Amino acid sequence: MSDTRHMHRAIELAMRGRGWVNPNPMVGAVIVKDDRIIGEGYHQRYGQPHAERNALADCAESAAGATLYVTLEPCCHQGRTPPCTDAVLQSGITRVVIGSRDPNPLVAGKGAKILRAHGVQVVEDVEREACDNLNQSFFHFIQHRTPYVVMKYAMTLDGKIATSSGKSRWITGEAARYRVHEDRHRYSAIMVGVGTVLADDPMLTCRLEHARNPLRVVCDTRLRTPTTANVVTTTDQAATIIATSETDTGLHRPYLEAGCEVLVVPRNGEHLDLGALMTALGEDQIDSLLLEGGGTLNWSALRSGVVCKVQAYIAPKLFGGSGKTSVGGVGVETPDAAFRLGPPTVTYLGDDILLESEVIECSPES
């Protein structure tokens, strides 16, 4: 029972690193001696000491003979910081309780093996599901080297993301919109299509205090983004990538001069090859991406197989008519060809509901 209680505290600590540690995982650590917490820590910023070392630094007394509770298997390789297994062994800790197993090929069981080889008792998989849920983005990125893509949209109970006149502000209430900004802080990047830029001229920034702005990515096959658009003129506030198939470098110049990056991506039919775009973003260490596009981009992303999770914010409203829907395109031909999602989690946000489901099967591209 105490193992569960202390791991829950480690999870609470780990969440303090949300949005600041990407592309590293969120990790929390608690050191317990004689049933007393003597040290706590979490991974605070990318490139800074890991949770285990911060917890050891927080100790007001020797950790010799203590138990370390850590949400993720301690690393055993030299990266931006030294191996955490070295620090644990040097501290005299005699028992380590681990939540998640690290799928990073540089770790992947080696951390636990090293500790056991030096006589440390290791207990694994304590509150593993909760610990795994902390780092869905990291686990996907470390195995696939492409961003964990969350497709997000807000809709009415009759499935509309805008009225017949194209208006969409605001479908959901303040609580739901606050949650969206929490995710803009959490994920490394946010992506829209040029149609959204032309229609709404969004800022795509995080409005929360003491938060970070995501990298902004605009999918713009034919380079139609106005140079006066907010995503172009505010690169001093948040970085912007214009992803395009336009190879004329003369057309790139105004965006480059405004501080944007122009990323040339091959086409897949009439649109950008989103698989190639995700590969390029992954090479730039973009581990996660919030997709806030319209129905056209959502369809392309699903057909490309790049979507990992779907977030549907549902408001108790009805628009009726011919308003836009969350996923456009030609649609699937039969129910059997549907995109399959896992069982949803349900979160109530004021009057609205958030449904979140992992994508478990995509229809192959034709």
Side-chain angles (χ1 to χ4, degrees):
M1 188 65 181
S2 61
D3 281 355
T4 298
R5 182 176 76 253
H6 293 312
M7 188 61 76
H8 283 170
R9 175 56 182 165
I11 291 170
E12 290 176 0
L13 292 166
M15 291 177 68
R16 296 181 183 179
R18 178 177 292 175
W20 300 112
V21 300
N22 310 52
N24 279 355
M26 291 184 282
V27 184
V30 175
I31 299 174
V32 177
K33 189 173 184 179
D34 300 326
D35 207 30
R36 296 176 294 112
I37 293 177
I38 64 170
E40 295 184 334
Y42 65 100
H43 186 30
Q44 299 177 12
R45 293 288 192 279
Y46 177 69
Q48 294 185 7
H50 290 181
E52 299 92 327
R53 290 181 178 272
N54 284 333
L56 286 167
D58 185 56
C59 287
E61 61 184 89
S62 170
T67 296
L68 166 68
Y69 294 86
V70 62
T71 56
L72 182 68
E73 179 183 359
C75 66
C76 54
H77 62 286
Q78 178 71 48
R80 285 178 172 263
T81 59
C84 289
T85 49
D86 289 357
V88 173
L89 294 173
Q90 291 167 8
S91 72
I93 284 172
T94 55
R95 183 170 181 261
V96 175
V97 180
I98 297 170
S100 293
R101 302 187 183 212
D102 194 338
N104 185 343
L106 296 174
V107 185
K110 299 184 185 75
K113 183 177 181 180
I114 288 171
L115 294 175
R116 288 191 176 104
H118 286 81
V120 176
Q121 180 188 359
V122 178
V123 180
E124 297 180 277
D125 300 333
V126 174
E127 294 298 295
R128 180 171 179 176
E129 182 176 358
C131 291
D132 284 354
N133 286 339
L134 285 170
N135 290 306
Q136 292 173 314
S137 299
F138 170 74
F139 291 157
H140 174 88
F141 180 70
I142 205 68
Q143 295 176 82
H144 301 283
R145 309 309 299 183
T146 56
Y148 180 84
V149 177
V150 178
M151 188 178 84
K152 165 260 167 186
Y153 52 85
M155 69 180 188
T156 60
L157 275 176
D158 56 342
K160 302 297 193 298
I161 64 171
T163 66
S164 57
S165 65
K167 292 179 170 41
S168 60
R169 295 182 181 177
W170 295 104
I171 291 175
T172 54
E174 290 185 8
R177 298 200 298 272
Y178 186 90
R179 170 60 186 267
V180 170
H181 284 283
E182 287 184 320
D183 281 345
R184 287 187 180 185
H185 167 74
R186 175 177 185 172
Y187 297 116
S188 295
I190 181 170
M191 187 168 81
V192 298
V194 66
T196 296
V197 174
L198 293 171
D200 301 331
D201 194 20
M203 283 286 290
L204 303 179
T205 52
C206 179
R207 310 294 204 275
L208 306 182
E209 291 187 20
H210 310 299
R212 52 166 289 280
N213 285 322
L215 166 71
R216 301 173 296 191
V217 181
V218 179
C219 293
D220 186 358
T221 307
R222 294 183 294 279
L223 207 53
R224 295 185 293 141
T225 299
T227 55
T228 56
N230 281 322
V231 292
V232 176
T233 62
T234 60
T235 54
D236 58 327
Q237 299 180 40
T240 298
I241 290 178
I242 308 293
T244 182
S245 294
E246 178 57 66
T247 58
D248 185 341
T249 56
L251 297 178
H252 297 175
R253 189 173 299 113
Y255 302 100
L256 297 174
E257 291 175 348
C260 299
E261 177 184 348
V262 177
L263 179 62
V264 177
V265 179
R267 288 194 188 195
N268 183 355
E270 293 299 312
H271 302 289
L272 294 180
D273 185 331
L274 295 182
L277 175 56
M278 293 305 113
T279 296
L281 293 175
E283 290 172 352
D284 281 344
Q285 299 298 297
I286 304 304
D287 72 317
S288 52
L289 184 147
L290 189 61
L291 176 58
E292 290 197 18
T296 300
L297 183 57
N298 287 346
W299 170 256
S300 294
L302 286 167
R303 290 290 286 166
S304 298
V306 303
V307 179
C308 302
K309 177 187 279 190
V310 175
Q311 288 183 333
Y313 290 84
I314 304 175
K317 300 176 181 178
L318 301 172
F319 282 173
S322 58
K324 298 177 181 179
T325 60
S326 58
V327 180
V330 298
V332 300
E333 292 187 3
T334 65
D336 289 343
F339 300 95
R340 302 291 298 278
L341 308 178
T345 61
V346 183
T347 305
Y348 291 89
L349 299 163
D351 293 335
D352 306 314
I353 296 174
L354 169 60
L355 299 181
E356 298 181 277
S357 291
E358 297 290 317
V359 177
I360 58 176
E361 183 179 346
C362 285
S363 300
E365 291 211 64
S366 57

